[in-house]
Amino acid sequence: MTKAESKDNQQSSGHVAREVARLILTGVWREGTTLPREIELASRFGVSRASMRESLSLLKAKGLIASRQKAGTHVRARFDWNMLDEELLNWTLLALPTQEFAKQIMEVRRIVEPEACAICAVRGTDEDFARIERAYRGMDAAGMDRVAYAEPDLQFHRGILIATGNDFLIAFGATVAAALRMSFNLSSTNPGAPRKSLPYHRTVLDEIWARNPDGARQAMHKLMDLTEQNIVSAMSRQKKKDAEDENARTRRAR
Amino acid sequence: MTKAESKDNQQSSGHVAREVARLILTGVWREGTTLPREIELASRFGVSRASMRESLSLLKAKGLIASRQKAGTHVRARFDWNMLDEELLNWTLLALPTQEFAKQIMEVRRIVEPEACAICAVRGTDEDFARIERAYRGMDAAGMDRVAYAEPDLQFHRGILIATGNDFLIAFGATVAAALRMSFNLSSTNPGAPRKSLPYHRTVLDEIWARNPDGARQAMHKLMDLTEQNIVSAMSRQKKKDAEDENARTRRAR
DNA sequence: AGAATTATTATGTCAGACATATTTTCTGCG
DNA sequence: CGCAGAAAATATGTCTGACATAATAATTCT
């Protein structure tokens, strides 16, 4: 359900919003910058002013911009950007998938997920646990297929958050989703890496079933360690590869 | 700056969005419900279809609704709502300031803020600490004035998050802001309560200056304890008061 | 009965106009 | 010359009405 819905908003307004977001995220339009007037933006993106305004309305909702009559529309301070928003996270992933971004996202996951896991072990219902176990089985069944592994992996982590019954922890699922998507993108250089996390997930699941909060917390913590390690090494590999590609291109250009 | 900007969007479209959000949050329009068509919504709220669409666009951005051509606009599953969004948090506060909501928000604060505080103690710069100290002084200077106390209190907590340098933790400031606003609203029944947190803030500040992460974590943890306690007792007091008022009204009606 | 076709309908997009709130410019006075 | 107050300019905010598009519902034909 969630998967299907996230595919919505493929209308042109969504594309325009994403493009404006990209310009802001990449720093073309810095904090405090007043952006071109609506009519100009509309013509630049090839849409009507009404559609343009709908796109801007979307970005306003995410805290990226604010506008006042006559004064114009400006980029808000970074502090006001709602980085925990799923779309904004994905846009950032597309625009600036930097190592810094990866470290930050893993830092919050490390803070939130082990605790959520402990709460889950105490407060979750058997149905909650069954859902998590189904996700685990899905991961197992995926074998070495990276694509098939990704979805149940997300469901596993989301399942834990849902089991806490805390709406804010559940909303944190968007951040986890972005992190997993990042991992997935990076795993192309090392297709076997995702599967290695399976036994760690198994331990988490066992501790949850045992309703052992401390064990669950610790197990999730270890899973976070492994995940971060994978991401960091994959990123440096990617970086190296990019540098080589760049080199090759430069040589060819001569 | 942030304060001024948050006062934006007082245009009618903002009001409409808030009202629709209220109807969804209070369960008048439940998850999965297809809401009336745009033209009907527009006339119901007394705005044009264009304005109505801008409002809906805002709610789409926050994950509350999704729409497909011909099929209509429907309320998305709760899991997809971005509860960590500042506006959505405020709307919830206005629509359903329940004890459950208070507990949940304090549960995440308890998870995030002590860790953020520990990171702050290690990674923060002296300028960061100075900013936090300025906020502390502001709280002290406010004395028993609840209104004057609120703003520097928020700046104190935000300052710690900012000092972590982690964009996601910084974005969590929206949640803290909502929690403090809730505390503030509740403190009317016990005007002296906020000030009691001052020495706890002092301890946090000292541990940060000492660059002692464990002490900082523990100090923040104690502050969270106190805050939660205040909120819970204030809410039960409020609940009692509301019940009495209700009683009085019923008696009068006879 | 079932498949293919047509009609319907709600969102998506467009165009042009006017309203409103600020900012900027202009004007007159001390 | 400086400055307060009035007038003009302008970018966002709102409205109206129309057409495009895609998904659903109804209809027709085999």
Side-chain angles (χ1 to χ4, degrees):
Chain A
M1 186 202 301
T2 300
K3 195 171 70 173
E5 288 186 339
S6 71
K7 291 267 181 175
D8 281 358
N9 287 23
Q10 288 293 352
Q11 324 290 354
S12 111
S13 89
H15 287 252
V16 172
R18 193 181 60 197
E19 179 58 15
V20 174
R22 195 184 64 77
L23 290 169
I24 294 173
L25 290 169
T26 57
V28 175
W29 290 331
R30 293 164 200 284
E31 302 169 66
T33 306
T34 297
L35 30 117
R37 64 177 93 92
E38 292 177 349
I39 303 176
E40 199 170 324
L41 284 171
S43 79
R44 187 184 298 189
F45 291 109
V47 297
S48 69
R49 198 182 146 217
S51 291
M52 191 68 228
R53 279 181 63 82
E54 281 187 39
S55 297
L56 294 177
S57 170
L58 226 131
L59 298 178
K60 262 182 225 180
K62 298 186 188 304
L64 285 182
I65 59 175
S67 49
R68 270 170 35 222
Q69 258 177 244
K70 163 74 185 179
T73 305
H74 65 274
V75 179
R76 291 181 67 180
R78 263 190 108 75
F79 296 162
D80 295 320
W81 300 357
N82 186 4
M83 290 309 292
L84 298 165
D85 175 89
E86 182 148 22
E87 267 178 305
L88 189 45
L89 236 15
N90 284 335
W91 292 336
T92 307
L93 215 54
L94 289 169
L96 288 172
T98 64
Q99 204 147 3
E100 177 63 18
F101 178 75
K103 276 187 187 162
Q104 290 189 7
I105 209 168
M106 284 312 301
E107 187 169 68
V108 269
R109 284 192 70 186
R110 233 189 193 11
I111 292 172
V112 173
E113 291 198 70
E115 288 309 314
C117 199
I119 294 172
C120 163
V122 173
R123 201 185 291 161
T125 65
D126 285 2
E127 296 96 284
D128 288 329
F129 297 172
R131 191 162 356 100
I132 298 167
E133 175 144 11
R134 260 202 307 285
Y136 173 80
R137 292 225 191 85
M139 294 167 73
D140 194 8
M144 297 299 285
D145 183 349
R146 280 166 58 234
V147 180
Y149 193 86
E151 179 61 23
D153 192 359
L154 174 56
Q155 291 312 323
F156 184 94
H157 290 273
R158 226 192 257 280
I160 290 169
L161 295 173
I162 290 172
T164 66
N166 185 313
D167 290 340
F168 304 100
L169 291 175
I170 292 172
F172 186 74
T175 307
V176 176
L180 291 179
R181 188 177 304 231
M182 180 171 59
S183 291
F184 175 79
N185 292 342
L186 289 167
S187 68
S188 60
T189 61
N190 185 4
R195 175 97 192 160
K196 283 184 185 148
S197 71
L198 192 64
Y200 290 81
H201 284 86
R202 175 79 244 180
T203 310
V204 169
L205 184 60
D206 290 341
E207 294 290 351
I208 288 173
W209 272 120
R211 294 202 171 276
N212 179 3
D214 293 331
R217 179 180 11 243
Q218 201 187 337
M220 180 57 86
H221 198 84
K222 285 193 176 159
L223 175 54
M224 294 291 104
D225 280 344
L226 176 78
T227 307
E228 177 156 21
Q229 194 182 308
N230 271 344
I231 289 182
V232 170
S233 70
M235 290 200 91
S236 52
R237 211 166 30 241
Q238 179 98 41
K239 207 172 165 185
K240 198 176 159 192
K241 185 167 166 292
D242 286 353
E244 279 166 9
D245 289 358
E246 180 59 28
N247 253 346
R249 214 175 318 141
T250 312
R251 249 176 292 141
R252 220 178 309 129
R254 283 203 217 124
Chain B
M1 185 201 298
T2 300
K3 196 171 69 172
E5 287 185 341
S6 71
K7 292 269 181 175
D8 281 358
N9 288 24
Q10 289 293 350
Q11 323 290 352
S12 109
S13 88
H15 287 251
V16 172
R18 193 181 59 197
E19 179 59 16
V20 174
R22 193 184 65 78
L23 289 170
I24 294 173
L25 290 169
T26 57
V28 175
W29 289 332
R30 295 165 197 283
E31 301 170 66
T33 305
T34 298
L35 27 117
R37 64 177 96 92
E38 291 177 350
I39 304 176
E40 199 170 324
L41 284 173
S43 79
R44 187 183 299 189
F45 290 110
V47 296
S48 69
R49 198 182 146 217
S51 291
M52 191 69 228
R53 279 182 62 84
E54 281 188 39
S55 297
L56 294 177
S57 170
L58 226 130
L59 299 178
K60 264 183 221 179
K62 298 186 187 305
L64 285 183
I65 58 175
S67 49
R68 271 169 36 220
Q69 259 177 240
K70 163 74 183 175
T73 306
H74 66 273
V75 180
R76 291 181 68 181
R78 260 188 110 76
F79 297 161
D80 296 320
W81 299 358
N82 185 4
M83 290 310 292
L84 298 165
D85 176 88
E86 182 149 20
E87 267 178 306
L88 189 45
L89 237 14
N90 285 335
W91 292 336
T92 307
L93 215 53
L94 288 169
L96 287 172
T98 63
Q99 205 148 2
E100 176 63 19
F101 178 76
K103 275 186 186 162
Q104 290 190 5
I105 209 169
M106 284 312 301
E107 186 169 66
V108 269
R109 284 191 71 186
R110 241 186 163 63
I111 292 173
V112 174
E113 291 198 69
E115 288 309 313
C117 199
I119 294 171
C120 163
V122 172
R123 200 185 290 161
T125 66
D126 285 1
E127 295 96 284
D128 287 329
F129 296 172
R131 192 163 353 102
I132 297 167
E133 175 145 10
R134 260 201 308 285
Y136 173 80
R137 291 226 192 84
M139 294 167 73
D140 194 7
M144 296 300 285
D145 183 348
R146 280 165 59 231
V147 180
Y149 193 87
E151 179 62 23
D153 192 0
L154 174 57
Q155 291 311 323
F156 185 94
H157 290 273
R158 226 192 257 279
I160 290 169
L161 296 173
I162 290 172
T164 65
N166 185 313
D167 291 339
F168 304 101
L169 291 175
I170 292 172
F172 186 74
T175 307
V176 177
L180 290 179
R181 188 177 304 233
M182 181 172 57
S183 290
F184 174 78
N185 292 342
L186 289 167
S187 68
S188 60
T189 60
N190 185 5
R195 175 101 192 158
K196 283 185 186 150
S197 71
L198 193 64
Y200 289 81
H201 283 87
R202 175 80 244 180
T203 309
V204 169
L205 184 60
D206 290 341
E207 295 290 351
I208 287 173
W209 272 118
R211 294 202 171 277
N212 180 3
D214 293 331
R217 181 182 6 246
Q218 201 186 335
M220 180 56 87
H221 203 276
K222 285 193 177 158
L223 176 53
M224 293 291 105
D225 280 343
L226 176 77
T227 307
E228 178 157 19
Q229 195 181 307
N230 271 344
I231 289 181
V232 170
S233 70
M235 288 198 92
S236 52
R237 214 169 25 243
Q238 178 98 42
K239 206 172 163 186
K240 198 175 158 193
K241 185 167 165 294
D242 286 354
E244 278 165 10
D245 290 358
E246 180 60 29
N247 253 343
R249 214 173 319 139
T250 312
R251 249 176 291 141
R252 220 178 310 126
R254 283 202 218 126

